[in-house]
Amino acid sequence: MARPASRTRRRSARRPAARRRPRSAKAQRARRARRRGVGLIVAIAALPALVLAVAVASVLGAFSGVRSLTPLPTPPAVADYDAEQLDNAASIMRAGHDLGLSVRDQAIGVMTAMGESSLRNIDYGDWETTGVTNPDGTPTTSIGLFQQQDAWGSRADRLDPYTAASLFYRAMVARVPDRDQVSPTLVAHRTQINQDPDHYARYWPLAVALIEKLSGQDSGLRHSFVRAMSPHG
């Protein structure tokens, strides 16, 4: 009886993997150029958003960065201000500079003191002049450049221009953490908790001009608007 023919399995021959040839210098340059081209397209596409962000920041007066201004050792003469007012404004600037705050923050400090005391370190306040009381009916105890009441600190601290400014700045940082996106008058209003949110608006251009005079430098704030969006926003 004949045996069936045995089947032999034919293994498929595997071709050895082809080795990649190293790219020529010309091919590598072309690849890098394509990558740069893609990056350039992405950068160009992002430009409109960047321009818009810069424009919004400029409107709010927030594009001043963290740079602060240092007042000159001897305050120069400035029209409409006497030596006491100039010294007080310089003290407010120094306090902001020493706390690492921005030039915009410094201008807000000077603006607030303008609106509260006309940059004069007075030892009385609204109770003595107009009989203003607190919401609970007690007499107000406001004194100094920023017309700060007892809760802000000791009488000596509130009557020291540098210390009073430091108290104001620390409260501003705590109470208005988003201040770079808020108009200057609202920053002061939320810090001081006064009745009229627009009270300080008229002093903003004056404060900007004064800190530039006292430092001899451009603040970059001249084209910023006093109000941003809603006065209560």
Side-chain angles (χ1 to χ4, degrees):
M1 185 176 178
R3 293 180 179 178
S6 61
R7 296 180 181 177
T8 58
R9 295 182 179 178
R10 301 176 64 183
R11 296 180 180 178
S12 59
R14 294 183 179 177
R15 296 181 180 181
R19 295 181 179 178
R20 293 184 179 180
R21 296 180 180 179
R23 290 190 178 90
S24 64
K26 181 177 181 181
Q28 291 178 356
R29 287 195 297 270
R31 188 179 183 186
R32 286 196 294 267
R34 286 195 297 272
R35 288 180 177 174
R36 286 195 297 269
V38 172
L40 180 60
I41 292 172
V42 172
I44 292 174
L47 275 177
L50 177 61
V51 171
L52 178 60
V54 171
V56 172
S58 177
V59 166
L60 296 178
F63 199 63
S64 57
V66 296
R67 180 179 65 91
S68 61
L69 299 182
T70 303
L72 297 170
T74 302
V78 181
D80 301 323
Y81 300 96
D82 60 26
E84 178 197 357
Q85 291 171 305
L86 296 176
D87 284 338
N88 289 333
S91 293
I92 295 170
M93 291 177 65
R94 290 191 190 94
H97 176 272
D98 292 348
L99 288 172
L101 300 177
S102 72
V103 61
R104 184 175 190 260
D105 293 333
Q106 288 177 300
I108 290 173
V110 173
M111 173 195 72
T112 304
M114 285 180 169
E116 294 290 353
S117 64
S118 298
L119 289 173
R120 297 193 182 280
N121 195 24
I122 52 181
D123 61 356
Y124 57 87
D126 293 335
W127 167 252
E128 289 81 4
T129 57
T130 57
V132 174
T133 61
N134 292 309
D136 62 0
T138 59
T140 55
T141 56
S142 306
I143 56 174
L145 285 174
F146 294 89
Q147 287 293 280
Q148 295 158 323
Q149 297 204 56
D150 290 345
W152 285 82
S154 68
R155 180 179 178 84
D157 285 346
R158 289 177 287 151
L159 287 176
D160 178 77
Y162 182 92
T163 305
S166 299
L167 293 172
F168 168 82
Y169 285 131
R170 291 193 181 100
M172 178 185 71
V173 170
R175 295 174 181 176
V176 199
D178 59 340
R179 63 190 180 281
D180 285 345
Q181 286 74 49
V182 178
S183 65
T185 185
L186 277 181
V187 175
H189 167 67
R190 294 178 186 178
T191 304
Q192 296 290 95
I193 316 178
N194 68 321
Q195 292 183 349
D196 181 10
D198 291 327
H199 171 69
Y200 307 97
R202 75 191 79 172
Y203 303 104
W204 177 247
L206 299 175
V208 171
L210 183 55
I211 66 171
E212 291 183 348
K213 291 285 188 180
L214 290 176
S215 64
Q217 300 179 59
D218 181 15
S219 67
L221 298 171
R222 284 183 175 273
H223 301 294
S224 63
F225 288 101
V226 174
R227 296 173 62 180
M229 295 174 282
S230 167
H232 304 290

